[in-house]
Amino acid sequence: MTNGGEEGQLSRIYVLGAGAVGLLFAGYLRKAGYPITLLLRSPAAVERFEQQGRKIGIVNDWVRTHPSRQRLMRPGEEMACSIDDVQAETPTENDTIISQLIITTKAQHVQQAYSQVQNRLNSNSAVLMLQNGMGTLEAIQRQFYAQSQIQPAFIVGTNAHGCLRHSNEEFATHHTAMSSCKIALHTPVAPPKSAMGMLAALSALPLNISVVNWSDLQPQMLLKLAANAVINPATALAGCRNGTMLQPELSSVQAFVTSACLEIAAIYARAHPHLHSELSAAAIEEYVLNIVHVTAQNRSSMLQDIDAARPTESDWINGYLVRLGQQHGVPTPINTSLYALIKLRESAF
């Protein structure tokens, strides 16, 4: 098996953003035999990783939360495992060309993080982007490639797996909800071998990863954006786990979800009329409620950011929907309010 490297060898895959999602993908890729390098933000972080043995921990909490799902465990798979022999460096530590890169930093940090590795990428590189919200790829292309046609092959993904990282476990991820991931090439030219190798590597992982056409991924991305726009700010402002939104006695919350989905559907109907049947208000609400159910025990990423007094991804989620509504003449009172309230919370940090 090859992955864009020399014959008989697997190419090294770099992961920029060693949070819960980055560690999940890095860990599974290393278990599959791929050389992995984590790009950590500081020499101190690299030193801490070295001191703890260059290992990534994965805890399959989704099995504990849903005991009936133990039948989904693959033979030999453990509730918790430690994956050895993972490399780490800072993004600017050397100038070695990166053939395959996965970016899992949060949306608000993508451009700054990308600036640290841009000079290590070329037209033969492949870059997978996994962020909440939308607009990060377009922001990178505007900032770094507005005057150049030479750029990496970009792969965009939507990740529905639930995972989190505890503050006392810097290099371990808790896989709290087993779900799925869809990825698609987003490039107007023939993709390099590195891109095809990365698609093959990811689709073979036991994470329900599907490779789809870009035209098929777009509605999935918009549905994921809707779920983030409804669940994340609501739980962040209320300080509750996702599943709290399903409590039957909270009829006002159910009404909020319905109204928010109607507003998002109206935005999508103007911005993406060709997807109207796939992005109806009913379809959006069904998707949102399913995500709430699957991730019921999760604390949303926005809630985790608020609790840690960190900036949130709201500019790329509710802010993105507000801007999209403005562009197409659609009022967005719900998303405008949610965006303003999250920004108010951030201003208190």
Side-chain angles (χ1 to χ4, degrees), residues 225 230 233 318:
L225 174 65
V230 175
N318 300 95

Side-chain angles (χ1 to χ4, degrees), residues 17 39 60 62 72 125 150 178 194 257 260 315-316:
L39 296 175
N60 289 308
W62 59 271
L72 298 178
S125 302
I150 300 175
M178 174 63 76
S194 60
V257 171
D315 284 325
W316 308 95

Side-chain angles (χ1 to χ4, degrees), residues 272-292:
H272 306 283
H274 61 293
L275 299 174
H276 180 64
S277 61
E278 298 174 75
L279 299 173
S280 66
I284 293 171
E285 184 168 359
E286 180 181 3
Y287 181 88
V288 170
L289 292 175
N290 180 63
I291 293 296
V292 173

Side-chain angles (χ1 to χ4, degrees), residues 207-228:
L207 292 173
N208 302 322
I209 299 175
S210 303
V211 178
V212 300
N213 294 325
W214 174 250
S215 59
D216 295 323
L217 182 66
Q218 189 179 28
Q220 291 299 314
M221 293 177 64
L222 292 167
L223 286 170
K224 177 75 182 300
L225 174 65
N228 287 329

